[in-house]
Amino acid sequence: MGTPADREKTSVLLAGGREQEVLARLLAAEGVEVTLAGNAGEAAEILKVMLFDAVLLFVERSEDGAVTHPVTELSQRWPDVPVIAWGADDAVVERLALAGGAVSFVAIPVSRAELARAVEAARSRNRAVSAVPARPIVGAKLLGESPLLGAVRDKIARVAAGRATVLVRGETGTGKEVVARAIHAHSGRHAAPFLVVQAAAVPDTLLESELFGYEKGAFTGATTRKPGRVELAEGGTLFFDEIGDVSPAMQVKLLRLIQEREYDRLGGTRTQRADVRILAATHRDLEDMTARGAFREDLFYRLNVVTLWLPPLRARREDIAAIVQHYLEVLRVENDKPELTLDDAALRLLQAQRWPGNVRQLVNFIERLVVLARGGVIGADDVRHDLDEQLEFLTQASALEARVPIVAPLEEAESNAKVSFVSSAVRPLREDLRRAEQRALVKALRSARGNRALAARMLGISRRTLYTKLEEHEIS
């Protein structure tokens, strides 16, 4: 593999197995960056937020002799990350792992050189398979140079060249539509239309006609034939935003569109063919919805051919400066304040915030700062003032709560007529913040299935800080 000085750094995810630490030391000696996962479940969670050159996944026989391995699942969910299976020297295990999608099998014990060759072969194969003609991504603002955003750009370039359905996932405000537009702009369909279907915004009674169109006379008021979004996007890309909000009845029709590339206009008598690429996005937990029967399993698998996860802004704070600078330039021109600047202290304060609404929330906050700016410089005090004002608004009691009389026991003893109108919804801010922090810690640990390193990355804090916070909140 060479030395770290003469090659690009390789990163691998090493999951499971008693010899995991031995393999990790062998790889580290070759200059490979190794991230450890306790099992395949933890590996899947890590792959949602990080990109690797390869995954080394432990496989073995169970006590009853059956071969148990999740190679197939990982290979299907992350087709751009090669899986190297490893385990005991067992021909049956090797054969089934390779049949499940592993690119190679490493038998234990293994030499450092043999392990290095397997990783390099997987890495080289992946680079060759995913190579696409270089063309700059246009029509989208993917601002920042963080490694996580670089991984997103890399995956856009990989998936754009094909026809596969892509499911863009991430929290609200992370830029799912921006990424969908980038995929279209980087594809062979870039000269054809890119149309958006706002699944959550259109009532179910109108979504079918909006999507598939209708013939003249299909219903009262249909005086002419109207083409739907599918027809208007012919040869291009159709993007379903918040597809998790589509009703079960419409899910059946979408499955036919995606699977068969066919649809029927309302009132029509002939089946229509569709030449469109389907992209979709959601912030919902589709796996949980599928398990509960709220989302069709077959539709989920048709959508989930390639999944592109977008990291939250708190996981790539180094990109905040680029986002702030770009939108500051745009918004100061729009608001006729061309000389307005933001000082370094204000920027550091913006970078320190968690931004639960992600990029969308940050951009809205910048616009607020620009609109309300009185001088030529936005300072830390201006940022603090707006942050405090928002916090005060969000923690105020409702009008109903403010009118509920709360009588303290001591006051009752002194006078039955004495009433305090302090709202029960208001607690000391320090207590509210502590409770919110505790909930965030518990949620992150559950999502990471106890993997503290992953939980720290999800929260955007260091591992040391996480340990300190867990000790403060007495969370084991």
Side-chain angles (χ1 to χ4, degrees):
M1 290 180 67
T3 64
D6 60 21
R7 63 170 176 78
E8 183 184 349
K9 199 77 169 177
T10 300
S11 63
V12 302
L13 177 61
L14 180 58
R18 291 183 295 275
E19 296 85 1
Q20 184 184 62
E21 292 186 4
V22 176
L23 268 63
R25 286 196 295 269
L26 293 175
L27 290 168
E30 288 291 316
V32 177
E33 291 183 347
V34 182
T35 298
L36 300 180
N39 51 45
E42 286 187 12
E45 292 298 320
I46 294 172
L47 284 169
K48 291 178 181 180
V49 295
M50 297 180 69
L51 189 69
F52 298 89
D53 290 304
V55 175
L56 275 80
L57 184 63
F58 178 70
V59 296
E60 64 178 344
R61 293 196 191 212
S62 61
E63 292 181 358
D64 60 4
V67 177
T68 56
H69 65 80
V71 172
T72 303
E73 180 184 355
L74 290 183
S75 298
Q76 289 180 348
R77 290 185 67 183
W78 290 278
D80 55 334
V81 183
V83 176
I84 302 170
W86 66 278
D89 190 1
D90 186 321
V92 174
V93 172
E94 178 179 358
R95 177 172 55 81
L96 292 177
L98 294 175
V103 297
S104 62
F105 179 83
V106 174
I108 302 300
V110 62
S111 68
R112 171 177 161 181
E114 183 183 357
L115 183 62
R117 281 195 298 271
V119 171
E120 183 61 25
R123 180 175 180 267
S124 299
R125 173 188 177 279
N126 197 34
R127 290 286 194 269
V129 171
S130 62
V132 295
R135 189 172 82 230
I137 294 174
V138 295
K141 295 181 177 63
L142 295 171
L143 301 170
E145 297 298 332
S146 68
L148 286 176
L149 192 59
V152 171
R153 287 196 182 98
D154 180 62
K155 198 160 188 179
I156 288 172
R158 299 185 195 191
V159 304
R163 290 187 47 134
T165 301
V166 179
L167 181 60
V168 186
R169 304 183 68 172
E171 296 177 3
T172 298
T174 48
K176 293 184 284 294
E177 183 176 337
V178 170
V179 167
R181 290 183 181 277
I183 292 172
H184 172 75
H186 204 51
S187 74
R189 297 172 176 261
H190 63 278
F194 174 92
L195 294 184
V196 179
V197 178
Q198 299 285 355
V202 182
D204 194 48
T205 52
L206 300 178
L207 184 57
E208 184 174 1
S209 61
E210 181 74 11
L211 189 58
F212 302 127
Y214 53 79
E215 297 287 354
K216 179 180 179 180
F219 51 84
T220 303
T223 56
T224 60
R225 186 181 80 82
K226 178 188 174 183
R229 295 295 181 96
V230 177
E231 184 176 349
L232 294 173
E234 183 72 13
T237 303
L238 194 61
F239 173 57
F240 288 89
D241 194 16
E242 294 304 341
I243 199 163
D245 292 334
V246 174
S247 73
M250 274 304 299
Q251 288 176 27
V252 177
K253 295 179 173 63
L254 287 181
L255 177 64
R256 182 190 179 201
L257 174 66
I258 296 171
Q259 187 165 287
E260 307 295 338
R261 291 294 192 269
E262 294 180 350
Y263 68 99
D264 295 322
R265 294 195 195 103
L266 288 178
T269 57
R270 189 175 62 180
T271 296
Q272 307 296 319
R273 296 290 299 172
D275 176 24
V276 292
R277 186 181 190 180
I278 304 296
L279 306 179
T282 184
H283 73 283
R284 296 187 179 277
D285 187 343
L286 291 186
E287 289 85 354
D288 178 65
M289 292 179 66
T290 301
R292 292 186 287 105
F295 199 83
R296 289 183 64 96
E297 185 176 16
D298 46 6
L299 177 58
F300 171 69
Y301 287 121
R302 293 302 303 174
L303 288 170
N304 201 36
V305 176
V306 177
T307 299
L308 201 161
W309 287 89
L310 298 188
L313 190 55
R314 61 183 175 276
R316 55 183 187 98
R317 293 177 190 272
E318 59 265 55
D319 291 334
I320 289 179
I323 296 169
V324 169
Q325 186 57 42
H326 171 82
Y327 284 102
L328 180 63
E329 292 176 2
V330 171
L331 293 166
R332 66 188 178 188
V333 172
E334 289 183 359
N335 290 275
D336 197 24
K337 298 180 180 181
E339 306 300 323
L340 187 65
T341 60
L342 183 91
D343 69 24
D344 292 340
L347 177 60
R348 286 194 296 271
L349 191 53
L350 291 173
Q351 290 174 315
Q353 306 308 307
R354 288 187 56 78
W355 303 115
N358 294 292
V359 178
R360 183 183 298 137
Q361 182 187 10
L362 174 59
V363 173
N364 290 341
F365 192 82
I366 296 167
E367 183 172 15
R368 174 184 173 88
L369 290 172
V370 171
V371 170
L372 297 179
R374 294 179 178 176
V377 178
I378 298 172
D381 287 342
D382 299 310
V383 174
R384 259 188 226 100
H385 177 269
D386 282 353
L387 289 171
D388 291 345
E389 192 173 76
Q390 287 190 16
L391 182 61
E392 181 181 353
F393 174 79
L394 292 172
T395 56
Q396 280 180 349
S398 67
L400 178 61
E401 290 171 331
R403 287 168 173 76
V404 176
I406 306 299
V407 181
L410 180 60
E411 290 173 326
E412 285 182 316
E414 292 178 349
S415 169
N416 290 331
K418 188 174 182 180
V419 175
S420 170
F421 284 89
V422 178
S423 170
S424 61
V426 177
R427 291 186 295 267
L429 181 58
R430 183 168 55 187
E431 182 182 344
D432 273 340
L433 292 176
R434 178 178 172 80
R435 292 187 181 190
E437 186 174 74
Q438 187 178 50
R439 286 195 298 270
L441 290 168
V442 171
K443 183 178 180 181
L445 283 172
R446 285 177 179 169
S447 298
R449 298 186 181 182
N451 186 320
R452 297 191 175 192
L454 177 57
R457 285 193 291 270
M458 288 178 170
L459 292 168
I461 60 178
S462 69
R463 197 181 306 183
R464 179 179 296 179
T465 301
L466 176 66
Y467 288 145
T468 301
K469 294 293 184 183
L470 292 177
E471 187 175 343
E472 287 177 2
H473 291 277
E474 298 179 350
I475 300 174
S476 58

